[in-house]
Amino acid sequence: MTWISKLTTAFGLLLLAEACYSAYEHSVLQTHRAASLSSLTSHSGTATSLPIDITIETLVATFIVCLGMVLGTSNLRPIQWRVWAGKIEREGEAGFTNSSGELERDYVGNPFRLLESRPGFVDIRKQRKRVCRVG
């Protein structure tokens, strides 16, 4: 994760913790208020909903946490194996370096390396390049 995504996620978690604390305080105050009201009258306890500002704060905090998590994810890999293997063949290690210049840890190199190193393997691409140079 980059420092921007870490900072965004931390800020969102701080907002979420504050929203949870506000919701807790609201419920405690409502409980005490209902208890004092019931001691004065025989009125049964009424349920109150959470104030809109606490609800909005919770939703915004959740969105900011999700944004921070998304900003910190690495690039998605192609779903099709042949597309991913083609990228490895074309770009090599340079295509799998992150923003800090380090090689990504799930890079395994050419997935077809074992198949291509067999003695009976015929490399069509190499032969085509040879034929095009000669002709």
Side-chain angles (χ1 to χ4, degrees):
M1 291 176 96
T2 62
W3 65 273
I4 292 174
S5 66
K6 288 180 183 178
L7 188 65
T8 305
T9 305
F11 179 67
L13 287 174
L14 184 69
L15 280 178
L16 190 61
E18 200 275 327
C20 290
Y21 182 73
S22 296
Y24 170 75
E25 284 295 314
H26 176 75
S27 68
V28 168
L29 287 174
Q30 291 300 320
T31 304
H32 288 298
R33 182 173 162 224
S36 66
L37 265 172
S38 67
S39 67
L40 295 176
T41 63
S42 63
H43 188 316
S44 63
T46 59
T48 60
S49 64
L50 207 56
I52 191 72
D53 63 331
I54 297 175
T55 305
I56 291 173
E57 183 181 11
T58 305
L59 292 174
V60 168
T62 304
F63 175 76
I64 291 174
V65 168
C66 289
L67 179 69
M69 299 289 262
V70 168
L71 287 175
T73 60
S74 61
N75 293 335
L76 298 176
R77 301 280 185 251
I79 293 174
Q80 298 174 337
W81 180 267
R82 63 181 175 83
V83 175
W84 183 69
K87 180 180 178 183
I88 291 175
E89 284 185 5
R90 283 189 310 277
E91 300 175 16
E93 288 185 3
F96 293 91
T97 54
N98 56 18
S99 59
S100 61
E102 298 173 357
L103 192 61
E104 294 177 5
R105 60 173 203 245
D106 61 343
Y107 175 74
V108 294
N110 185 355
F112 302 118
R113 180 180 56 237
L114 293 173
L115 293 174
E116 292 173 354
S117 64
R118 294 179 306 167
F121 180 73
V122 178
D123 191 356
I124 302 290
R125 292 180 187 157
K126 194 181 290 184
Q127 287 182 357
R128 182 176 45 190
K129 288 178 185 177
R130 249 187 277 150
V131 169
C132 289
R133 277 190 240 146
V134 172

